[in-house]
Amino acid sequence: MSDSAIDRVARATPPKLAKKVRGYSDRAIAWVFVTPTIILLLAVNIFPLLWTIWLSFTNYRANRPNLDAKWIGLKNYERILTDADIWLTMQATAHFLFWTLFFQVLIGFALAWLINRKFKGNDLWTTVIVLPMMLSPAVVGNFWTFLYQPQIGLFNYAVAFLTGADPTSFSMIGDVSLAPWSIVIVDTWMWTPFVMLICLAGLRSIPDSIYEAAECDRASKWRQFWTITVPMVLPFLMLAVLFRGIENFKMFDLVVQLTGGGPGSTTELTSINLKREAFEKWRTGYSSAYAIILFVTVFGLASIYVKALNKVKER
Amino acid sequence: MSSFSITEPSKGQKWIAGILVIGYALITLLPLIWILATGFKSSADSIAYPPKVTFEPTLEGYVNLFTSQTRQTPEYLAENPPQTWYEEIVRDKGMVIAGPSRFGERFLNSTIIGFGSTFLSVFLGTLAAYAFSRFKVPLKDDLLFFILSTRMMPPIAVAIPIFLMFRIVGLSDTHAGMILLYTAVNLSLSVWLLKGFIDEIPREYEEAALIDGYTRFQAFYKVVLPQAATGIASTAIFCLIFAWNEYAFAVLLTSGTAQTAPPFIPTIIGVGGQDWPAVAAGASLFLLPVMVFTILLRKHLLRGITFGAVRK
């Protein structure tokens, strides 16, 4: 900045006045900076939500746009909450949620703990483990159908190799009892690194001094683990579970490519069912109500969970 | 940490830990290596049983991926000898190259839409994050929960009204529409991440600059931005990966012009079912940039992922 007379005067004036006189005021900047974001979020997040709520009270069908949407009140909601098939999809989703969270927490935490032993080269191998998480779930799902083929797939071959069973005797995607596990396996393969990373951050945040003090008090390693490590990693673990839980409740890409919701409807998760209703049967009003119910469910469960999480953090 | 720290794991422990983790890493790597390998197998090799670990590599999969082919009469084949090495591969099957396939286009769309939406969401996100961080803006405290709640809606649910909206406004199946959509979806996460990064930059630097006569905007541009650079990079990577990998919106809102790679790759059909070498080739090309990215920029990525957890 050149040292002109104006600059010298500017520097001599008190800061508050200077801010108002030179350039835009703070207020203007704040609004200019925030407004585009708010507009975009309103347009793509809030407005569609409101529209969905409105649609859920009508019998609108998007493939017949010229037919007027008739207001039918809570009829869509009634139909959904009394539909037995919807409960089946909820069950499939619950099964998926529970087992993926279970394995991801178990394996993720174990891996994080092992990596925290700080063996040589753990940085490299951590990066390798993280790779599946970065891939497109749809492409991964599609490719795993190849791995799961009974005749030619690597997965069946590996299982046969390890257990001596006949590789063509089971089909992960085709069998009604095995299909739910096929999606659990692939999701665990993809997302365990996520839980692992968060647990690792948690483990690394525990200061060594606590462990040293425990050693001085002659606490056994086992005791140290349960009274120091686990409680201090718990908030991180719960956060990871929250994120994964929300994501897996919405799960669509991976499963739609891997099993398409089948065989039959055994792996038809709520999002897949929703897609069928909205974009294949074109029952727009009905599926809007379905979407709202799902949203409220997730929102409610997440709110309760976050309250519990905050309590754990304060401990 | 002193070398005699009593909390340092023993050598034996480190060894066992190392073996277990490397074992898991190798098992994790297996499907990825398989995809890459299958891209180079001939059709017959890819469906061979037992699965072939050693095979003669061929570019047949890649050629099938990038070209569309038709059958021709034997007379035509005799009259027009193959000109290039890839023509020869195709001739072996009795087909002729009719032109490029749509994969190249789709890949390009992914690139355009990916980078476009990343740029926008990081640009707008940085501005908004700065404002949220430094100024008293209404709703600041509810921001986090608002962001979390925008991520609770299943994409399919959001797609219903967006589908209708786009139809009305004429943004269906356009690059601009998809860029706007991905930007908006990424925006909440990007604002939250960036606000965290900017929060970490001490205000003293800007205040010093302001006292020196810089305007607020100059202070932002010359003092804060350079320091937030690594945070911005981390956020950009996440936005790019999301847009690159996205499937649900792409499959519902695009069909021809603006279709990206993920909805397209599973539809690559060969003679009699999915052409696995071509699918694997397409998947490899699509997944490879992300894998390379991850390896090169892992520090930024790790920082971003654990950021949310550690900050609190």
Side-chain angles (χ1 to χ4, degrees):
Chain A
M1 283 193 329
S2 65
D3 212 39
S4 68
I6 291 194
D7 289 311
R8 273 183 273 137
V9 165
R11 247 171 283 161
T13 54
K16 271 217 183 116
L17 186 58
K19 267 188 245 178
K20 285 217 188 103
V21 168
R22 295 198 58 165
Y24 294 107
S25 70
D26 274 4
R27 222 143 190 260
I29 295 250
W31 281 111
V32 167
F33 275 16
V34 169
T35 311
T37 301
I38 301 242
I39 292 183
L40 210 49
L41 284 178
L42 279 176
V44 181
N45 278 319
I46 306 293
F47 179 66
L49 180 64
L50 296 174
W51 196 349
T52 305
I53 296 179
W54 182 79
L55 279 175
S56 68
F57 295 119
T58 70
N59 65 352
Y60 185 62
R61 297 182 131 260
N63 61 343
R64 297 192 203 153
N66 298 319
L67 228 57
D68 275 334
K70 245 194 315 174
W71 186 269
I72 55 173
L74 291 173
K75 231 163 139 209
N76 282 328
Y77 288 92
E78 268 179 59
R79 270 192 235 148
I80 293 172
L81 292 171
T82 55
D83 188 347
D85 286 336
I86 302 278
W87 292 113
L88 282 176
T89 43
M90 289 294 203
Q91 258 186 299
T93 311
H95 180 273
F96 179 67
L97 252 180
F98 178 77
W99 287 109
T100 50
L101 288 174
F102 178 78
F103 285 118
Q104 286 170 27
V105 163
L106 204 59
I107 303 177
F109 182 76
L111 280 174
W113 192 80
L114 288 173
I115 291 177
N116 207 28
R117 304 295 98 199
K118 298 184 211 122
F119 54 92
K120 237 198 314 185
N122 65 344
D123 213 23
L124 165 69
W125 294 108
T126 309
T127 313
V128 168
I129 296 180
V130 162
L131 282 178
M133 195 169 90
M134 301 294 163
L135 310 177
S136 172
V139 175
V140 166
N142 178 246
F143 197 74
W144 269 85
T145 62
F146 180 55
L147 293 176
Y148 274 142
Q149 299 267 327
Q151 263 80 18
I152 56 177
L154 188 64
F155 186 82
N156 285 42
Y157 179 69
V159 171
F161 187 77
L162 293 171
T163 64
D166 174 19
T168 52
S169 66
F170 67 100
S171 164
M172 291 301 291
I173 308 185
D175 276 336
V176 167
S177 53
L178 289 177
W181 296 106
S182 68
I183 54 179
V184 169
I185 291 176
V186 181
D187 192 76
T188 306
W189 175 75
M190 274 192 79
W191 290 105
T192 302
F194 178 77
V195 179
M196 175 194 86
L197 285 176
I198 297 201
C199 286
L200 196 56
L203 285 172
R204 287 192 177 147
S205 73
I206 306 177
D208 275 335
S209 47
I210 298 188
Y211 288 115
E212 284 168 10
E215 283 280 339
C216 286
D217 284 345
R218 301 199 308 174
S220 70
K221 292 276 182 201
W222 186 245
R223 183 116 193 270
Q224 283 178 37
F225 182 77
W226 285 107
T227 54
I228 302 177
T229 314
V230 169
M232 292 196 77
V233 177
L234 198 59
F236 291 86
L237 203 52
M238 286 182 74
L239 196 69
V241 167
L242 178 66
F243 284 143
R244 288 307 312 145
I246 295 181
E247 289 301 311
N248 276 7
F249 193 83
K250 307 184 310 190
M251 169 57 71
F252 177 75
D253 306 11
L254 181 66
V255 180
V256 102
Q257 280 300 324
L258 196 56
T259 61
S265 306
T266 42
T267 57
E268 190 168 304
L269 305 183
T270 49
S271 277
I272 301 180
N273 196 6
L274 183 59
K275 186 226 174 191
R276 213 165 266 186
E277 292 292 334
F279 291 95
E280 285 173 27
K281 296 188 192 165
W282 293 103
R283 293 158 77 180
T284 315
Y286 180 85
S287 48
S288 299
Y290 193 9
I292 298 292
I293 292 179
L294 288 178
F295 178 65
V296 168
T297 311
V298 178
F299 196 84
L301 292 174
S303 303
I304 300 177
Y305 189 87
V306 168
K307 288 219 179 85
L309 177 59
N310 286 331
K311 261 206 232 145
V312 170
K313 276 214 203 117
E314 269 148 43
R315 264 206 279 123
Chain B
M1 217 167 53
S2 75
S3 47
F4 294 112
S5 163
I6 45 178
T7 57
E8 179 88 5
S10 70
K11 246 205 165 154
Q13 269 195 16
K14 283 195 192 182
W15 231 76
I16 298 179
I19 293 185
L20 286 175
V21 172
I22 295 180
Y24 182 84
L26 289 176
I27 296 178
T28 291
L29 211 46
L30 205 54
L32 294 177
I33 298 181
W34 199 250
I35 302 182
L36 293 176
T38 308
F40 292 104
K41 289 184 178 171
S42 67
S43 281
D45 277 347
S46 66
I47 55 176
Y49 187 81
K52 275 190 170 184
V53 177
T54 54
F55 55 91
E56 221 185 276
T58 157
L59 285 176
E60 195 185 313
Y62 285 88
V63 172
N64 289 346
L65 178 68
F66 279 107
T67 61
S68 65
Q69 302 156 6
T70 54
R71 291 203 169 279
Q72 281 287 0
T73 58
E75 295 85 46
Y76 183 87
L77 291 175
E79 275 173 32
N80 299 297
Q83 308 278 347
T84 55
W85 59 269
Y86 43 88
E87 270 275 355
E88 276 183 41
I89 296 181
V90 174
R91 290 301 172 93
D92 276 344
K93 297 190 301 173
M95 308 257 260
V96 157
I97 294 186
S101 73
R102 281 174 283 163
F103 179 71
E105 248 183 76
R106 304 290 186 257
F107 196 86
L108 190 63
N109 286 345
S110 273
T111 314
I112 296 176
I113 295 177
F115 280 95
S117 65
T118 300
F119 173 75
L120 257 178
S121 44
V122 168
F123 177 69
L124 293 178
T126 313
L127 298 182
Y130 180 76
F132 278 117
S133 171
R134 299 301 195 233
F135 305 130
K136 281 208 191 84
V137 185
L139 300 177
K140 192 162 115 158
D141 295 319
D142 299 318
L143 182 64
L144 178 57
F145 202 65
F146 171 72
I147 287 166
L148 208 58
S149 56
T150 60
R151 297 184 79 75
M152 286 183 197
M153 254 320 220
I156 306 293
V158 180
I160 304 170
I162 301 268
F163 176 78
L164 298 172
M165 259 166 67
F166 274 18
R167 203 163 61 176
I168 296 176
V169 180
L171 280 175
S172 288
D173 200 20
T174 58
H175 292 90
M178 296 309 289
I179 290 181
L180 277 176
L181 179 61
Y182 285 170
T183 303
V185 173
N186 266 331
L187 206 49
S188 44
L189 182 68
S190 119
V191 168
W192 183 55
L193 281 177
L194 286 166
K195 174 173 180 296
F197 288 122
I198 293 182
D199 277 343
E200 281 180 359
I201 301 173
R203 292 175 195 228
E204 282 77 42
Y205 293 114
E206 287 149 77
E207 283 168 16
L210 287 170
I211 293 175
D212 274 351
Y214 278 79
T215 63
R216 173 63 79 168
F217 187 74
Q218 283 175 315
F220 167 69
Y221 183 68
K222 294 199 174 161
V223 173
V224 176
L225 269 190
Q227 293 204 32
T230 47
I232 293 179
S234 299
T235 310
I237 293 171
F238 278 109
C239 294
L240 187 57
I241 290 182
F242 166 79
W244 187 257
N245 290 345
E246 210 280 329
Y247 173 81
F249 287 127
V251 86
L252 292 171
L253 299 170
T254 66
S255 48
T257 329
Q259 195 185 51
T260 55
F264 179 73
I265 291 177
T267 63
I268 300 174
I269 310 277
V271 181
Q274 271 208 291
D275 187 354
W276 288 115
V279 170
S284 308
L285 287 178
F286 191 68
L287 301 175
L288 217 47
V290 178
M291 290 200 259
V292 169
F293 235 23
T294 307
I295 296 177
L296 291 179
L297 299 166
R298 62 182 177 280
K299 291 230 168 60
H300 289 287
L301 271 171
L302 266 39
R303 202 174 160 215
I305 294 174
T306 56
F307 190 74
V310 180
R311 245 186 80 222
K312 299 177 189 170

